[in-house]
Amino acid sequence: NEIQKKINKDLKFLCTWLRANKISLNASKTELIIFRDPKKKMTQDLKIKINGKKLTPSDSVKYLGIYIDHHLNWKTHQTNLSPKLGRAVGMLCKIRHFVNIETLHMIYYGIFSSILMYGSQIWGQQNNIVKKLQVLQNKALRIMHFQPKGTSATPLFKKSEILKLTDHVNLQNFLFAHDSLNNIL
């Protein structure tokens, strides 16, 4: 009950602030997500209304192309990313017979890497998700180099001068830490 009162007070403040700043909030496009520990059940039924429209909590929301779930474990994002990457691998498999390796690299960056790397510094902190997506990246490299399924992908990354997903995430983290320490964010 105390939580509900606090939420109502905060919503009233939010609506007042929005009106004062001449900002409209489209309640029908507004999504609500309540982050919580996966081990804890949601015991309260929160009643949240904006402009008379009730908002119901979602298990996940899509924000700027990244799926954020209520446990922040990124499984929803991985579930939505895997089929896209699988289709990109299929396209690479078909086109590799008709183009040279330089063109194939450009296609890889355009249809596979751009999808894989988007937001990876955020969701890439989850090792189990990275491992599952790394398998797809390894498959893409094997296909690009006409290598069979069991071939190690590590030499192919080096030969192609392409960073593994894990290395890309680490690089982004290091660059972020560097910029943060040097006050250039």
Side-chain angles (χ1 to χ4, degrees):
N1 200 6
E2 285 297 317
I3 295 173
Q4 186 66 51
K5 286 180 185 177
K6 171 94 170 94
I7 289 172
N8 289 340
K9 181 181 173 187
D10 290 346
L11 282 174
K12 194 172 190 176
F13 173 79
L14 175 66
C15 290
T16 304
W17 185 88
L18 289 170
R19 271 189 239 106
N21 290 285
K22 297 182 175 138
I23 299 172
S24 64
L25 180 69
N26 188 343
S28 64
K29 291 184 179 181
T30 302
E31 293 187 80
L32 171 67
I33 187 164
I34 300 169
F35 299 108
R36 61 186 175 276
D37 187 329
K39 296 173 190 138
K40 295 182 181 177
K41 292 272 184 192
M42 186 76 172
T43 55
Q44 285 187 314
D45 181 31
L46 298 175
K47 294 171 178 63
I48 300 173
K49 289 185 179 182
I50 295 180
N51 297 333
K53 184 179 183 324
K54 185 180 181 208
L55 299 179
T56 54
S58 300
D59 287 341
S60 67
V61 294
K62 183 179 179 183
Y63 183 70
L64 298 175
I66 297 176
Y67 291 88
I68 304 169
D69 59 78
H70 62 289
H71 298 309
L72 287 176
N73 60 18
W74 306 104
K75 288 181 183 174
T76 305
H77 186 70
Q78 187 252 322
T79 301
N80 284 282
L81 204 57
S82 293
K84 290 179 187 178
L85 293 172
R87 286 190 295 276
V89 168
M91 287 186 252
L92 286 169
C93 189
K94 290 176 184 170
I95 198 133
R96 68 183 172 159
H97 299 284
F98 305 104
V99 296
N100 62 29
I101 192 70
E102 291 82 17
T103 305
L104 196 58
H105 275 91
M106 287 190 289
I107 294 169
Y108 165 83
Y109 282 112
I111 66 170
F112 186 88
S113 182
S114 60
I115 295 168
L116 178 64
M117 299 305 177
Y118 180 71
S120 61
Q121 187 178 6
I122 299 165
W123 54 261
Q125 308 309 314
Q126 209 55 25
N127 286 337
N128 58 335
I129 303 298
V130 171
K131 285 178 185 175
K132 290 176 184 177
L133 296 175
Q134 184 67 61
V135 170
L136 286 169
Q137 190 186 28
N138 293 348
K139 184 176 182 180
L141 264 285
R142 280 190 210 98
I143 283 173
M144 289 170 60
H145 291 278
F146 294 89
Q147 296 298 313
K149 189 176 186 178
T151 306
S152 172
T154 301
L156 303 176
F157 281 99
K158 188 172 183 175
K159 182 179 179 182
S160 300
E161 297 180 348
I162 293 174
L163 281 177
K164 289 182 180 182
L165 174 60
T166 52
D167 295 335
H168 174 80
V169 170
N170 287 334
L171 174 64
Q172 293 303 312
N173 288 337
F174 295 140
L175 291 172
F176 178 78
H178 173 272
D179 290 351
S180 178
L181 292 171
N182 291 297
N183 295 320
I184 52 175
L185 287 178

